Amino acid sequence: MKTTKFPQPLKLLLIPALFIMIFTNCTKETEEEIAPEEHLQVTEDAKAVEIAPTESTEPKNDLLTTEPDNLVFPDNGNSNARISSYGPTDYVDFHDKMALTIIPDNARNTFTFWPYYIQKIGTGWVHVKENDGANYNEGFRSEYNHYHLTYQHFEPCFLSSGNFGKPSGSSCLNFDPTLQNRELFTHSGDHWIKVYVYDYENPSRKFDLLEIKVVKGPIQLWFKEASGGWKYWQSLGVGRWNLSNYCKNIKEVLISGQQDFSPIGIDDLKIKVPYY
């Protein structure tokens, strides 16, 4: 086989040129991965909500202008956010390691107390808490002081210490609760969950709720538009729902059951936080 030989000076010119070409191609691929087109932002198998939400003024009584919460700013978590032209999108899937680390006892026994679950997306923090604020009408707040982050892929067993363990065959093993997939379950059907976004300068920021997965339902879902009006769906059943036609440019979301004893379960809140 004939081998082409380059003069030594030409070799020295070709090496940096080849490096630049490889680096440019890699950079281009990376940019495409972190900047997907808009139509990729919603999961293909998510069901579209065919009925438009109903307008309402019920949840707020406007006693206060802001929530009386002490906002918490945890460090960055394990974000897999996808970047678009106007902000990052990520799933609030209840197993971000940093978010679980700040919860007392890492919600090992599923009980999740203040400060509840806080996941960073872009320049905002998504806070999923019990809605116990005084500036909501009585039918839209609860005071259970916890909710449950259950384990998605296993039923816990009990260690000899009495703590939750992870089953493995016939054994019950210790485990790291910050590394397990979770789902959010309420205590009861009249338990209210609030979702909103904040940052260092704004206690309430605009965001989009593109999807939600209802693990156990049906749920009722209320959202406040940036203009101040409220809209809601009275009943969303089990499944993954595409809300992108309605829940854009909103300020908060309230979720509950059907006001009975049956708890609800949710997961995979797909949220986009604009840069502004």
Side-chain angles (χ1 to χ4, degrees):
M1 180 180 294
K2 185 177 179 181
T3 303
T4 302
K5 295 183 179 181
F6 296 104
Q8 189 67 23
L10 183 57
K11 284 184 179 179
L12 296 177
L13 290 173
L14 286 174
I15 292 173
L18 180 61
F19 176 80
I20 291 172
M21 182 177 66
I22 294 173
F23 178 80
T24 302
N25 289 339
C26 291
T27 302
K28 183 177 180 181
E29 291 177 2
T30 302
E31 288 174 350
E32 291 173 350
E33 289 175 359
I34 65 174
E37 296 180 12
E38 286 301 310
H39 72 272
L40 298 177
Q41 295 297 322
V42 178
T43 306
E44 290 184 4
D45 63 351
K47 297 181 291 186
V49 180
E50 297 180 355
I51 301 175
T54 304
E55 294 187 8
S56 175
T57 58
E58 290 188 48
K60 281 286 183 80
N61 60 25
D62 294 326
L63 289 176
L64 302 173
T65 56
T66 59
E67 284 295 283
D69 294 338
N70 297 317
L71 300 180
V72 179
F73 297 92
D75 294 333
N76 291 342
N78 301 329
S79 176
N80 294 313
R82 296 196 288 183
I83 308 299
S84 74
S85 59
Y86 70 99
T89 302
D90 203 357
Y91 280 111
V92 174
D93 49 20
F94 305 109
H95 61 259
D96 179 88
K97 182 176 177 63
M98 180 55 66
L100 292 170
T101 298
I102 68 169
I103 297 171
D105 196 36
N106 308 140
R108 184 187 185 98
N109 64 352
T110 79
F111 281 80
T112 305
F113 306 102
W114 180 264
Y116 298 104
Y117 186 90
I118 305 173
Q119 181 175 329
K120 194 171 190 294
I121 298 181
T123 57
W125 282 263
V126 180
H127 196 183
V128 184
K129 65 183 288 289
E130 181 180 28
N131 191 45
D132 55 357
N135 56 335
Y136 293 84
N137 289 323
E138 185 175 354
F140 294 87
R141 64 179 189 262
S142 57
E143 295 184 358
Y144 288 103
N145 298 314
H146 73 278
Y147 54 69
H148 296 273
L149 289 181
T150 62
Y151 295 99
Q152 185 174 359
H153 298 310
F154 66 92
E155 289 288 336
C157 50
F158 286 97
L159 300 168
S160 58
S161 62
N163 293 325
F164 274 1
K166 185 175 183 178
S168 178
S170 59
S171 301
C172 186
L173 305 178
N174 198 6
F175 68 100
D176 185 345
T178 68
L179 300 179
Q180 314 302 319
N181 289 357
R182 305 290 193 106
E183 297 168 328
L184 188 155
F185 274 74
T186 60
H187 180 87
S188 184
D190 61 351
H191 195 172
W192 282 93
I193 303 299
K194 175 179 176 178
V195 183
Y196 68 110
V197 179
Y198 61 85
D199 61 25
Y200 289 112
E201 298 179 353
N202 303 286
S204 179
R205 279 183 56 171
K206 293 181 288 186
F207 65 98
D208 300 341
L209 176 60
L210 302 175
E211 294 178 25
I212 187 171
K213 180 181 178 181
V214 180
V215 179
K216 186 177 187 301
I219 68 169
Q220 53 177 310
L221 187 149
W222 299 67
F223 60 94
K224 181 181 180 181
E225 297 175 310
S227 59
W230 284 88
K231 293 182 178 180
Y232 71 96
W233 288 285
Q234 188 61 46
S235 182
L236 293 177
V238 171
R240 188 181 296 274
W241 293 97
N242 177 353
L243 309 178
S244 61
N245 288 334
Y246 302 103
C247 294
K248 287 188 175 181
N249 200 31
I250 63 177
K251 295 298 288 289
E252 61 184 87
V253 174
L254 298 179
I255 300 171
S256 186
Q258 301 300 306
Q259 303 298 300
D260 56 17
F261 294 105
S262 180
I264 60 165
I266 58 174
D267 196 6
D268 289 353
L269 281 69
K270 197 167 195 177
I271 290 179
K272 172 169 283 189
V273 180
Y275 291 120
Y276 52 89

